[in-house]
Amino acid sequence: MPKRTGEKYKAIIEAAIKVIAENGYHGSQVSRIAREAGVAEGTIYLYFENKEDILISIFREKLGELIALAPKKLNKIENSFEVLANLIHLHFSTFQNNRRLAHVLQIELRQSDKSIREGIAEVIREYYRLIEEVVRAGMDKGYFKADLDPKVARKVIFGSMDEVATCWVLSRRRYNLLGMAEQVYCFLARALARDGNGDPYPPQLKPGK
Amino acid sequence: MPKRTGEKYKAIIEAAIKVIAENGYHGSQVSRIAREAGVAEGTIYLYFENKEDILISIFREKLGELIALAPKKLNKIENSFEVLANLIHLHFSTFQNNRRLAHVLQIELRQSDKSIREGIAEVIREYYRLIEEVVRAGMDKGYFKADLDPKVARKVIFGSMDEVATCWVLSRRRYNLLGMAEQVYCFLARALARDGNGDPYPPQLKPGK
Amino acid sequence: MPKRTGEKYKAIIEAAIKVIAENGYHGSQVSRIAREAGVAEGTIYLYFENKEDILISIFREKLGELIALAPKKLNKIENSFEVLANLIHLHFSTFQNNRRLAHVLQIELRQSDKSIREGIAEVIREYYRLIEEVVRAGMDKGYFKADLDPKVARKVIFGSMDEVATCWVLSRRRYNLLGMAEQVYCFLARALARDGNGDPYPPQLKPGK
Amino acid sequence: MPKRTGEKYKAIIEAAIKVIAENGYHGSQVSRIAREAGVAEGTIYLYFENKEDILISIFREKLGELIALAPKKLNKIENSFEVLANLIHLHFSTFQNNRRLAHVLQIELRQSDKSIREGIAEVIREYYRLIEEVVRAGMDKGYFKADLDPKVARKVIFGSMDEVATCWVLSRRRYNLLGMAEQVYCFLARALARDGNGDPYPPQLKPGK
DNA sequence: CATGAATGAGGATTCATTCAT
DNA sequence: TATGAATGAATCCTCATTCAT
């Protein structure tokens, strides 16, 4: 029965992203997160069940935004290649825009216990469904191969994006993640395209498209 | 200055894989691993620097085998598609043959601190190079598109295999991981194949090929 | 400077008896008592100094009633054996009528800190004096042995009643506490009776007598 | 699976008695007990399950001694009055000899949770049985009234001793507890004695008798 | 080489109490 | 009077690691 709303809730989320990105999950004491958020230690527990719940909530809030945003952006696009391109773009720009968040989601979140994996499972499954939907639509419309297994396709798509994002976060060099979008798109588009499909090549990826 | 060889070294490694697969990294006390291995607690520290070092060693020993094995299997194959197929097959069969190991490598290993990531970095980079080599060879020989970025290709390949393996480990259903090899191969082969390449389609994947 | 009177004061007392009887002193959060009483947490502190003060107040209010009642009932009785019988009857019936209160007074009250013991000391001393008075009167009137030490007698009388009450509260079997009164009276009457006293035997104990 | 034997076990018990007698149970940090015992904090947990277990163990060890000693002392005495006198003497001398222990057993032990009460229940029941046995033997041998209820008698006897001991511990005046033994005996002997029993009067109580 | 008893640092969490409204 | 959101002090216990034997 934590509150899970309000200004302090958000402040704690943001503080946690910062502190955890800098010190890792296990290196981030609740007291430190509280100080960074400008609230008392006990206040944390008015908004979150426990320390793990903070991590889960970061995931839910932030990836939730992505998942909520995606259908709006993708549904109105007819061409499935364009949809794929935009999906990748959206995924990468979420991280590009908040490197700390990217670090927490790609690295720290995975350091955690089974209970955390369970806590995020529902949200991640929704993202999975979203990607599978994109694949299915492409198959139905004739853009993609008709005999794909959407689940395997989803794993290839998500796995590719995830690996690219992780490498980006861990890299010392601060290259542009969005710059990878087109290349990743090329790979995935060719992997999915129907044989003889005239043009699986990337539509121009433009931010916000 | 730990010993890192001998019968007890191996016994501890195997005990750790078992205990960690069952209880998770944080749920696996050193004392428990010692008991399972049939040695005293202190003995652990004659063979390993610390608890993390056990995890790193599991990675090094087991993925090391894979990396040592791979060139022998792959180097003598001319057709790069066949090489790719065999790479995927090797990757998946390693996990298929030892589900506990798979769990430790795919899940528990990632729960750990920065120091672990650093400990395994060298080994994983070697695996990365191996994959990139496969890509480069395929480009040089004309099987794969000439203008691929081997690094991105590697991320797509590794990311896809990694995601499939992780889903397999986490799945409640005990399906056959090797059965996924061909499907994953199809995706990746198409993604890599040179345009107009006559046959990017899967060579028959046979165990041990 | 708490108020210590009014409807809410009484509501809190009753709520506390219920909550503490069910969950023990340490298991009874102030917030829970407040909810049960239908007041806000802060309101508690308008009527009580702190949590311990609630416990002390329960004791004062409830045992206070007993102590106020006792002289009225006992003073008009001439025969000291009858007085003793009625004292025991009164003591036991107080608990019998409110098992929750009995639990709080016999068990939970004693779980608490020195400050509580100090808080109830004055009230309990008054009860002690009351018992000692009964003994002294019995000695003066020739019913009891002339050379008794009233303080020791009081300890035997109170200790016996207290032990019987505690066992009753802790017992799983829900036997009748008042049914013990006569037996306890028999023991104590014989212990106190003057040698050769014709009839130390229990007057008929009747409720409300 | 704590060890519960050995020199350190005893040292911790003694240290705990001292620290708890001085600061109360809740005021006695485990770290403080460890320091007093000259061991590390973690060592406590090699010998005890948790903090409560220390308290329970004090009770078991110390009252256990009393219970083990009592039958040896009491069984060879024929006269039940003498047995009663010795029982009281033994009870009081245990406390007289170790006022700190008395404080812990009479006051602090009762401040604790249900789990502690459960932990000591078995031992205390054994003491109860011992007292009831004394009563029964006295009845059988014709010293005590034939129609006593041994359970009620036990409550009167134990309650009297317990109350006297508690008052002694809480008293500011440092009077002699053993000096109370004879007076308490007188009360209880008269309460138990068969009518017309020639001499319920106290045998001379001598230490060690 | 091997042991395992001993060590002790480290932190999430609770909940009585306060005080601005 | 009454509220209830916010506070923050206070501590038990775990378990990786050491070292005397």
Side-chain angles (χ1 to χ4, degrees):
Chain A
M1 48 187 75
K3 214 161 153 266
R4 284 189 209 291
T5 58
E7 223 160 83
K8 298 206 172 176
Y9 176 74
K10 285 179 185 168
I12 295 167
I13 291 266
E14 296 306 325
I17 292 171
K18 185 172 178 216
V19 173
I20 294 175
E22 278 166 13
N23 309 286
Y25 179 66
H26 293 298
S28 298
Q29 298 86 334
V30 172
S31 60
R32 206 157 166 182
I33 295 172
R35 203 180 325 129
E36 179 73 32
V39 302
E41 233 173 306
T43 305
I44 300 267
Y45 294 87
L46 296 179
Y47 294 91
F48 302 87
E49 295 213 355
N50 49 41
K51 192 184 171 190
E52 285 202 341
D53 190 34
I54 301 176
L55 210 47
I56 294 171
S57 299
I58 291 174
F59 187 83
R60 250 200 301 256
E61 293 288 327
K62 296 300 180 175
L63 200 63
E65 285 175 19
L66 174 61
I67 291 173
L69 206 62
K72 288 176 198 160
K73 292 221 166 188
L74 305 181
N75 281 344
K76 50 190 169 200
I77 304 173
E78 206 282 328
N79 185 320
S80 291
F81 289 111
E82 233 172 286
V83 172
L84 177 65
N86 275 272
L87 173 73
I88 298 168
H89 188 274
L90 201 58
H91 190 106
F92 286 178
S93 68
T94 300
F95 292 153
Q96 174 94 285
N97 291 336
N98 192 343
R99 194 191 179 87
R100 275 176 183 151
L101 176 63
H103 182 92
V104 174
L105 296 186
Q106 294 297 119
I107 309 295
E108 303 305 331
L109 191 70
R110 312 185 183 199
Q111 282 191 25
S112 46
D113 269 343
K114 191 183 292 188
S115 57
I116 293 199
R117 274 200 303 285
E118 288 164 0
I120 64 176
E122 187 50 45
V123 183
I124 196 86
R125 264 198 296 269
E126 209 173 326
Y127 196 46
Y128 282 172
R129 273 193 293 269
L130 178 79
I131 299 176
E132 288 170 27
E133 244 356 276
V134 170
V135 174
R136 264 195 208 93
M139 291 163 65
D140 291 345
K141 293 180 187 168
Y143 291 105
F144 298 165
K145 271 188 76 185
D147 61 344
L148 296 177
D149 179 333
K151 278 196 148 64
V152 179
R154 176 261 291 172
K155 287 171 191 172
V156 169
I157 295 169
F158 181 83
S160 298
M161 296 194 299
D162 197 57
E163 175 72 11
V164 169
T166 297
C167 288
W168 175 73
V169 165
L170 291 179
S171 173
R172 211 160 290 113
R173 295 188 309 107
R174 296 296 179 106
Y175 57 86
N176 191 287
L177 176 59
L178 265 178
M180 311 287 295
E182 189 167 325
Q183 297 187 70
V184 174
Y185 166 78
C186 284
F187 276 96
L188 296 177
R190 289 166 52 91
L192 297 167
R194 188 164 61 118
D195 292 327
N197 184 305
D199 186 18
Y201 296 99
Q204 294 309 314
L205 280 166
K206 297 176 203 130
K209 193 169 185 178
Chain B
M1 53 186 68
K3 213 161 151 276
R4 283 190 210 288
T5 60
E7 226 159 80
K8 297 205 173 177
Y9 176 74
K10 285 179 184 168
I12 294 167
I13 291 267
E14 296 305 325
I17 292 172
K18 185 172 177 218
V19 172
I20 293 174
E22 280 167 10
N23 309 286
Y25 179 65
H26 293 298
S28 299
Q29 298 85 334
V30 172
S31 60
R32 208 159 166 179
I33 294 172
R35 203 180 325 130
E36 178 75 30
V39 302
E41 256 182 279
T43 305
I44 298 269
Y45 293 87
L46 298 176
Y47 294 91
F48 301 87
E49 293 206 358
N50 49 40
K51 191 185 173 189
E52 287 202 338
D53 190 31
I54 302 175
L55 212 46
I56 295 170
S57 301
I58 291 174
F59 188 82
R60 248 200 302 259
E61 293 287 328
K62 296 301 180 176
L63 201 64
E65 286 175 19
L66 174 62
I67 292 172
L69 206 61
K72 288 176 198 160
K73 291 223 166 186
L74 305 180
N75 282 343
K76 50 191 170 196
I77 303 172
E78 206 281 328
N79 185 318
S80 290
F81 288 110
E82 234 172 285
V83 172
L84 177 65
N86 275 272
L87 174 73
I88 298 168
H89 188 275
L90 200 58
H91 190 106
F92 286 179
S93 68
T94 300
F95 292 154
Q96 173 94 288
N97 291 334
N98 193 343
R99 195 192 178 88
R100 273 178 185 151
L101 175 64
H103 182 92
V104 174
L105 295 187
Q106 294 297 121
I107 309 295
E108 305 304 333
L109 190 70
R110 310 184 184 199
Q111 282 193 27
S112 46
D113 269 342
K114 191 183 290 190
S115 56
I116 292 202
R117 274 198 304 285
E118 288 163 359
I120 64 176
E122 188 49 45
V123 183
I124 196 85
R125 265 198 296 268
E126 209 173 324
Y127 195 47
Y128 283 172
R129 272 193 295 269
L130 178 78
I131 300 175
E132 288 170 28
E133 247 351 281
V134 170
V135 174
R136 265 196 207 91
M139 291 163 65
D140 292 346
K141 292 179 187 169
Y143 291 104
F144 297 165
K145 269 188 77 187
D147 61 343
L148 297 177
D149 179 331
K151 280 195 145 65
V152 178
R154 177 263 290 173
K155 287 172 191 170
V156 170
I157 295 169
F158 181 83
S160 298
M161 296 193 299
D162 198 58
E163 175 72 10
V164 169
T166 297
C167 289
W168 175 74
V169 165
L170 292 179
S171 174
R172 210 161 292 115
R173 296 187 309 108
R174 295 295 178 105
Y175 57 85
N176 191 287
L177 176 59
L178 266 177
M180 311 287 295
E182 190 167 324
Q183 297 188 69
V184 174
Y185 165 79
C186 284
F187 276 96
L188 297 177
R190 291 167 52 91
L192 297 166
R194 190 165 59 117
D195 292 328
N197 182 305
D199 186 19
Y201 295 100
Q204 295 308 314
L205 280 167
K206 295 173 204 137
K209 194 167 184 179
Chain C
M1 51 185 72
K3 212 163 153 276
R4 283 189 210 288
T5 58
E7 224 159 81
K8 297 204 173 177
Y9 176 74
K10 284 179 185 169
I12 295 167
I13 291 265
E14 295 305 325
I17 292 171
K18 185 172 177 218
V19 173
I20 294 174
E22 278 166 11
N23 309 285
Y25 179 66
H26 292 298
S28 299
Q29 297 84 335
V30 172
S31 61
R32 209 159 165 178
I33 294 172
R35 200 178 331 128
E36 178 74 30
V39 302
E41 257 182 277
T43 305
I44 298 268
Y45 294 87
L46 298 176
Y47 294 91
F48 301 87
E49 293 205 358
N50 49 39
K51 192 184 172 189
E52 288 202 338
D53 190 32
I54 301 175
L55 211 48
I56 294 171
S57 299
I58 291 174
F59 188 83
R60 248 199 302 257
E61 293 288 327
K62 296 300 180 177
L63 201 64
E65 287 175 19
L66 174 62
I67 292 174
L69 206 63
K72 288 177 198 161
K73 292 221 166 189
L74 305 180
N75 281 345
K76 50 189 169 197
I77 304 171
E78 206 280 328
N79 184 318
S80 290
F81 288 111
E82 230 172 289
V83 172
L84 176 66
N86 274 274
L87 173 73
I88 297 169
H89 188 273
L90 199 58
H91 190 105
F92 284 0
S93 67
T94 300
F95 292 152
Q96 173 95 287
N97 291 335
N98 192 343
R99 195 191 178 88
R100 274 179 184 148
L101 175 64
H103 183 92
V104 174
L105 295 186
Q106 294 297 119
I107 308 294
E108 304 305 333
L109 190 71
R110 311 184 183 198
Q111 282 192 27
S112 47
D113 269 342
K114 191 182 292 187
S115 56
I116 292 201
R117 274 198 305 285
E118 288 163 1
I120 63 176
E122 187 49 45
V123 182
I124 196 85
R125 264 198 297 269
E126 207 174 325
Y127 195 47
Y128 282 173
R129 271 194 295 271
L130 178 78
I131 300 175
E132 288 170 28
E133 242 357 276
V134 170
V135 174
R136 264 195 209 91
M139 290 164 66
D140 291 348
K141 291 179 186 167
Y143 291 106
F144 298 165
K145 271 188 74 185
D147 61 346
L148 297 177
D149 178 331
K151 277 195 148 60
V152 178
R154 177 263 290 172
K155 288 171 191 173
V156 169
I157 295 169
F158 181 83
S160 298
M161 295 193 300
D162 197 58
E163 175 72 11
V164 169
T166 296
C167 288
W168 175 74
V169 165
L170 291 179
S171 174
R172 207 160 293 115
R173 296 188 309 107
R174 295 296 179 104
Y175 57 84
N176 192 287
L177 177 60
L178 266 177
M180 311 287 295
E182 188 166 326
Q183 295 187 68
V184 174
Y185 165 80
C186 283
F187 276 96
L188 296 177
R190 289 166 53 90
L192 297 167
R194 188 164 62 116
D195 292 325
N197 182 307
D199 187 19
Y201 295 99
Q204 293 310 310
L205 278 167
K206 296 178 205 132
K209 194 166 184 179
Chain D
M1 48 185 78
K3 219 161 151 264
R4 286 189 208 287
T5 58
E7 223 159 81
K8 298 205 172 174
Y9 176 74
K10 285 180 185 167
I12 295 167
I13 291 266
E14 296 305 325
I17 292 171
K18 184 171 177 216
V19 173
I20 293 174
E22 279 166 11
N23 309 284
Y25 178 67
H26 293 296
S28 298
Q29 297 86 336
V30 172
S31 59
R32 206 158 167 181
I33 295 173
R35 201 179 327 129
E36 178 74 30
V39 302
E41 226 173 312
T43 304
I44 299 268
Y45 294 88
L46 296 177
Y47 294 92
F48 301 87
E49 296 214 356
N50 48 41
K51 193 184 170 190
E52 284 201 343
D53 190 33
I54 302 176
L55 209 48
I56 294 171
S57 298
I58 290 174
F59 187 82
R60 250 201 301 259
E61 293 287 328
K62 296 302 182 177
L63 200 63
E65 284 176 21
L66 173 62
I67 292 173
L69 205 64
K72 288 175 199 161
K73 291 222 166 187
L74 305 180
N75 281 345
K76 50 191 170 198
I77 304 173
E78 207 280 329
N79 185 320
S80 290
F81 288 110
E82 233 172 284
V83 171
L84 177 66
N86 274 273
L87 173 72
I88 297 168
H89 188 274
L90 200 57
H91 190 106
F92 286 178
S93 68
T94 300
F95 291 153
Q96 173 94 287
N97 291 336
N98 192 343
R99 193 189 179 90
R100 274 177 184 151
L101 175 64
H103 182 92
V104 173
L105 295 186
Q106 295 296 120
I107 309 295
E108 304 304 333
L109 192 69
R110 311 186 182 197
Q111 282 192 28
S112 46
D113 268 343
K114 190 184 291 189
S115 57
I116 293 198
R117 272 201 303 285
E118 287 163 3
I120 64 176
E122 188 48 45
V123 182
I124 197 86
R125 265 198 296 269
E126 208 173 325
Y127 196 45
Y128 283 173
R129 273 193 294 270
L130 178 78
I131 299 176
E132 288 170 27
E133 247 350 279
V134 169
V135 173
R136 269 199 203 88
M139 290 163 66
D140 291 346
K141 292 178 184 168
Y143 291 105
F144 298 166
K145 269 189 76 185
D147 61 347
L148 297 177
D149 180 332
K151 279 197 148 63
V152 178
R154 177 262 290 171
K155 288 171 190 170
V156 169
I157 295 169
F158 181 83
S160 299
M161 296 195 298
D162 197 57
E163 174 72 11
V164 169
T166 295
C167 288
W168 175 73
V169 165
L170 291 179
S171 173
R172 210 160 291 112
R173 294 189 308 108
R174 296 296 178 104
Y175 58 86
N176 192 285
L177 175 60
L178 265 177
M180 311 287 294
E182 188 166 325
Q183 295 188 69
V184 174
Y185 165 79
C186 284
F187 275 96
L188 296 177
R190 289 167 54 92
L192 297 167
R194 188 163 62 117
D195 291 327
N197 182 307
D199 186 18
Y201 295 100
Q204 293 310 312
L205 278 168
K206 294 172 205 138
K209 196 171 184 178

